[in-house]
Amino acid sequence: DGGITQSPKYLFRKEGQNVTLSCEQNLNHDAMYWYRQDPGQGLRLIYYSQIVNDFQKGDIAEGYSVSREKKESFPLTVTSAQKNPTAFYLCASTLGLRSGANVLTFGAGSRLTVL
Amino acid sequence: GQSLEQPSEVTAVEGAIVQINCTYQTSGFYGLSWYQQHDGGAPTFLSYNGLDGLEETGRFSSFLSRSDSYGYLLLQELQMKDSASYFCGLNSGYSTLTFGKGTMLLVSP
């Protein structure tokens, strides 16, 4: 079955440590996204990528970094510069919103807790 | 920029009909989407409106009025399993989807 796999599902981190969240999709989608979800805040866009080797900042990119070396993979690194990293992180993909494909497929999420 | 407003919480009873409203502000518009998210789970796509009018998908319908920058999600014959958060998402043509803060729907017996 095609879909998006995020790992790990739960992650605990000490302050000052960088962590990388994995996102892999086998849907052959061009565009991939990272959203952060906090209680009462909805989904806020961190980074997105429309093609391999290209990505753009979203609304809350500070303290985060990404790479897109392969079409299937879009890992997110939460750096020590992110002041409040405890949150639920969701990865999503689509064929490409500009192409008229309007459905985002989401992964199951990664819950990061900073101790 | 883009912004969306939706109520934070709506309550209803099983079998009832409920409407979740969404108003938006944007400089460009491609369409308005609706997603459902159960607690701790992944959002899943429900419905999309690119043009004015009503789109029906089973018990769920979504409506759009571009002149009023307004849309709503209508859920009929409510079931307990419909208790979830519902997000409207704006495709403003910049290759990203901007979401509202979500509406928590509580369905009681």
Side-chain angles (χ1 to χ4, degrees), chain B residues 3 20 24 40-41 54 56 62 68 73-75 87 92 95-96 101 104:
Chain B
S3 66
I20 299 174
Y24 60 86
L54 192 68
E56 297 180 82
S62 59
D68 295 322
L73 179 70
L74 191 73
L75 297 87
F87 296 89
S92 54
S95 302
T96 64
K101 292 187 176 182
M104 184 177 294

Side-chain angles (χ1 to χ4, degrees), chain A residues 33 35 37 40-43 45 48 50 88 90 97-98 102-104 106-108 111, chain B residues 30 33 35 37 40-43 45 48 87 91 93-97 99-102:
Chain A
Y33 305 81
Y35 287 91
Q37 187 172 33
Q41 292 294 317
L43 302 167
L45 183 65
Y48 66 101
Q50 296 181 73
F88 188 49
L90 286 159
L97 296 178
R98 282 189 176 271
N102 302 293
V103 180
L104 287 184
F106 284 86
R111 191 169 296 278
Chain B
Y30 265 43
S33 302
Y35 287 77
Q37 184 184 31
F45 173 79
Y48 171 79
F87 296 89
N91 179 352
Y94 297 108
S95 302
T96 64
L97 209 60
F99 288 95
K101 292 187 176 182

Side-chain angles (χ1 to χ4, degrees), chain A residues 9-115:
Chain A
K9 190 171 179 63
Y10 299 96
L11 184 61
F12 297 89
R13 185 195 97 174
K14 293 181 180 179
E15 283 194 26
Q17 289 181 334
N18 293 355
V19 293
T20 297
L21 307 180
S22 171
C23 177
E24 302 278 332
Q25 55 101 356
N26 60 5
L27 300 165
N28 200 32
H29 284 171
D30 292 313
M32 297 186 73
Y33 305 81
W34 275 104
Y35 287 91
R36 169 178 171 146
Q37 187 172 33
D38 297 281
Q41 292 294 317
L43 302 167
R44 292 184 290 169
L45 183 65
I46 305 172
Y47 267 98
Y48 66 101
S49 167
Q50 296 181 73
I51 56 172
V52 174
N53 292 323
D54 186 52
F55 48 83
Q56 287 79 39
K57 293 181 179 180
D59 301 317
I60 56 166
E62 185 176 350
Y64 299 97
S65 66
V66 293
S67 63
R68 186 86 186 276
E69 297 176 1
K70 298 187 298 181
K71 186 175 184 177
E72 314 80 71
S73 179
F74 192 40
L76 173 74
T77 296
V78 185
T79 75
S80 56
Q82 168 50 233
K83 291 183 171 58
N84 185 19
T86 294
F88 188 49
Y89 291 88
L90 286 159
C91 179
S93 71
T94 184
L95 279 172
L97 296 178
R98 282 189 176 271
S99 71
N102 302 293
V103 180
L104 287 184
T105 301
F106 284 86
S110 292
R111 191 169 296 278
L112 172 63
T113 302
V114 174
L115 303 173

Side-chain angles (χ1 to χ4, degrees), chain B residues 11 19 23 29 33 49 54 61-62 70 76 85 98 100 104 107:
Chain B
T11 59
Q19 178 174 313
T23 57
F29 183 86
S33 302
N49 295 79
L54 192 68
S61 303
S62 59
Y70 163 75
Q76 303 182 72
S85 291
T98 301
M104 184 177 294
V107 180

Side-chain angles (χ1 to χ4, degrees), chain B:
Chain B
Q2 300 84 42
S3 66
L4 301 98
E5 292 288 334
Q6 50 181 131
S8 59
E9 187 175 302
V10 172
T11 59
V13 296
E14 270 189 302
I17 299 172
V18 72
Q19 178 174 313
I20 299 174
N21 298 320
C22 175
T23 57
Y24 60 86
Q25 291 186 325
T26 181
S27 54
F29 183 86
Y30 265 43
L32 192 70
S33 302
W34 290 91
Y35 287 77
Q36 178 192 61
Q37 184 184 31
H38 287 98
D39 192 31
T44 56
F45 173 79
L46 290 177
S47 188
Y48 171 79
N49 295 79
L51 301 172
D52 291 351
L54 192 68
E55 291 287 335
E56 297 180 82
T57 310
R59 294 189 297 116
F60 296 165
S61 303
S62 59
F63 172 83
L64 176 67
S65 169
R66 288 175 295 172
S67 61
D68 295 322
S69 297
Y70 163 75
Y72 66 72
L73 179 70
L74 191 73
L75 297 87
Q76 303 182 72
E77 300 172 17
L78 280 174
Q79 302 174 10
M80 295 295 290
K81 67 178 182 179
D82 297 328
S83 291
S85 291
Y86 293 84
F87 296 89
C88 53
L90 179 65
N91 179 352
S92 54
Y94 297 108
S95 302
T96 64
L97 209 60
T98 301
F99 288 95
K101 292 187 176 182
T103 299
M104 184 177 294
L105 171 63
L106 302 171
V107 180
S108 58

